[in-house]
Amino acid sequence: MQCSSLQRWLLVDWYPMFLGDQLLAWLVLALGAALFAGSLLAVVRPPEQPRDETHLDRAPVGRSLVIAAVGLIAAIWAIATLVAG
């Protein structure tokens, strides 16, 4: 099915893509920064009291640091992509 010029104008020109062509890079930046900050804060500042017996007193340090590193790498990649292009 072919689009008429009016339909193409309405779909492409009237509604530009949210955050431009770099939407994926912005999403990776947001996710990576959230992973990094959340995991690091879970290790640095654990809750004062656990909610109940099923929750841990502290976050697992090794796993949290690995997740923080993955988030940092993703955020750095996204910033490099946004700056380069």
Side-chain angles (χ1 to χ4, degrees), residues 51-66:
R51 295 181 191 158
D52 56 20
E53 296 83 28
T54 61
H55 289 85
L56 298 174
D57 294 334
R58 290 185 47 134
V61 176
R63 179 174 51 187
S64 297
L65 292 178
V66 168

Side-chain angles (χ1 to χ4, degrees), residues 19-39:
L19 293 176
D21 293 334
Q22 301 291 335
L23 177 63
L24 183 60
W26 285 107
L27 291 173
V28 169
L29 176 60
L31 183 64
L35 278 172
F36 177 71
S39 297

